[in-house]
Structures are given as C-alpha cells and as structure tokens.
Amino acid sequence: MNTRLESNGPERITLAMTGASGAQYGLRLLDCLVREDREVHFLISKAAQLVMATETDVTLPAKTQMMQAFLTEYTGAAAGQIRVYGKEDWMSPVASGSGAPAAMVVVPCSTGTLSAIATGACNNLIERAADVTLKERRQLILVPREAPYSSIHLEHMLKLSNMGVTILPASPGFYHQPQTIDDLIDFVVARILNLLNIPQDMLPRWGEYHLSSDE
C-alpha cells in the first residue's frame, strides 16, 4: 500500500552530515529529497567525510564546488538543486534567518554536534545553521547514532526536545521484515521524510502495513 502523504512539505531543506556512523542515512535522504524535487542546502563536516569514505564507496571531493558537482551527478539532481557550503561560509543562506530553509535535518548527528547545538555554539556553519533554525522556530530533526548514550547525551536531547527539536535516533524497526541493509536504512529515512511531510513509498505506516499483510 502506498504511504505518500497529501502535503508536499518544505521546498527547501538544509541537510547536514556530521561524524557519527551512519553516512548511508544521509546519502539516502539526499537521494530521496532530490527525487522529490527539493532544493537541498548541503553541509558536511570533515569527520563525516572520513566516515563516509570508511562506510561507503563514496569519496567526496574536498573543494566545495567540486563536491557540489559530484553530488549533482551522483543523485541525478538538476543544476542548482543541490547547493554545497563550506564550514565557514558565513554568507550562505543557511547562516541567516532571512535566507535559511524552513527545515533542517542533521543525519547522522554526532554527539559533539548535539552538544554544540544544545549549548548554542556556532563554531562552524552546521552549528550556526542549527542555531538559526532554533531561533526562527523552524523544524529541526537530529538523527543521533551512538550506543550507549551517556547522561550528558540524554540531557542534551531532553533540552533540545523541550525546545521543539525532534530527536530521531537511527534505530531501525523490524516489523516490515527487512531483507537487506538497504531496507534498514530506508526505515530511518522514511521516518525522516514522514516528519518532513514529504511523500515516500519506502515504508508503510503501522495500520497500513497490517492491512496490506492481511489482504
């Protein structure tokens, strides 16, 4: 059964990837956003680039313009659909409330980035973009991937949750009977898309899943 949502969700989205394990989630979300014709403002830390090269067969170019060209070709995006910014590009749209997209997702979100966002640090563009999203009361979704969580991590999550941030741990479910690693990745990415109110057909919602199973 198709799970596509009626609303189209935000047209412009900030996608940030930081140095936790789970680069596949960020790459898959980027691909889905491109397929749904979203404009993506893409940010990535150096640690995330190292993790990506370790966990996947994707090695991003170091320079911003080359990275943008690479991701555009990799996802089949239209020219200008993916916009890549460096860690100190303070003149980028995501650095200001007057230009930032309506939603931001950090996936994967390292516990260091979680801490920086919770305490209002703005030492790089990812942290500043999250700070802008918070102060403008826009949608912010953080996808941490760590185990176990320390009390510090949990305190930061609670603090951010009380500010309206969605904390979505990268914890795939199994009720859809996954057969591959890609199925597990899609579970988490589908949950992100549902929160953004962007159509997805990767994962039926709970009631729809059992209805289709009984048919």
Side-chain angles (χ1 to χ4, degrees):
M1 181 174 291
N2 197 307
T3 61
R4 297 178 74 86
L5 303 178
E6 293 182 1
S7 175
N8 290 323
E11 294 297 323
R12 299 164 61 241
I13 296 167
T14 302
L15 169 59
M17 297 180 63
T18 60
S21 181
Q24 297 90 338
Y25 295 118
L27 288 173
R28 178 61 167 144
L29 179 60
L30 176 63
D31 179 67
C32 291
L33 294 174
V34 167
R35 288 193 294 109
E36 289 296 328
D37 297 321
R38 309 300 149 148
E39 180 182 301
V40 182
H41 295 239
F42 185 81
L43 314 172
I44 186 168
S45 68
K46 286 186 177 181
Q49 293 183 57
L50 291 174
V51 172
M52 185 183 296
T54 300
E55 295 184 340
T56 76
D57 59 359
V58 177
T59 301
L60 295 178
K63 294 187 178 297
T64 300
Q65 290 184 338
M66 294 179 64
M67 188 187 300
Q68 181 168 301
F70 176 89
L71 290 173
T72 296
E73 182 177 358
Y74 179 80
T75 61
Q81 187 177 1
I82 298 174
R83 303 184 182 188
V84 179
Y85 303 106
K87 68 174 185 177
E88 295 182 345
D89 190 353
W90 306 116
M91 297 303 293
S92 65
V94 300
S96 172
S98 63
M104 178 176 181
V105 182
V106 184
V107 55
C109 180
S110 68
T111 53
T113 299
L114 182 80
S115 171
I117 295 172
T119 56
C122 293
N123 295 317
N124 57 56
L125 189 60
I126 292 175
E127 296 170 10
R128 171 58 183 170
D131 191 62
V132 167
T133 304
L134 277 172
K135 78 181 184 70
E136 299 293 331
R137 302 186 184 278
R138 295 172 184 169
Q139 186 176 20
L140 178 58
I141 301 171
L142 305 182
V143 185
R145 211 303 313 162
E146 186 62 86
Y149 291 123
S150 74
S151 296
I152 295 172
H153 305 151
L154 295 170
E155 286 173 1
H156 287 154
M157 290 181 198
L158 178 60
K159 181 178 180 180
L160 288 166
S161 179
N162 287 336
M163 288 189 279
V165 177
T166 299
I167 307 296
L168 195 166
S171 303
F174 292 86
Y175 61 79
H176 63 310
Q177 298 181 348
Q179 302 298 309
T180 66
I181 292 176
D182 286 343
D183 291 339
L184 296 174
I185 294 168
D186 282 354
F187 182 97
V188 174
V189 173
R191 294 298 308 276
I192 297 171
L193 292 170
N194 284 347
L195 288 168
L196 292 170
N197 220 19
I198 292 177
Q200 62 85 16
D201 54 13
M202 297 181 292
L203 179 71
R205 286 171 289 189
W206 178 255
E208 293 174 341
Y209 173 80
H210 282 282
L211 283 174
S212 61
S213 298
D214 292 340
E215 290 177 355

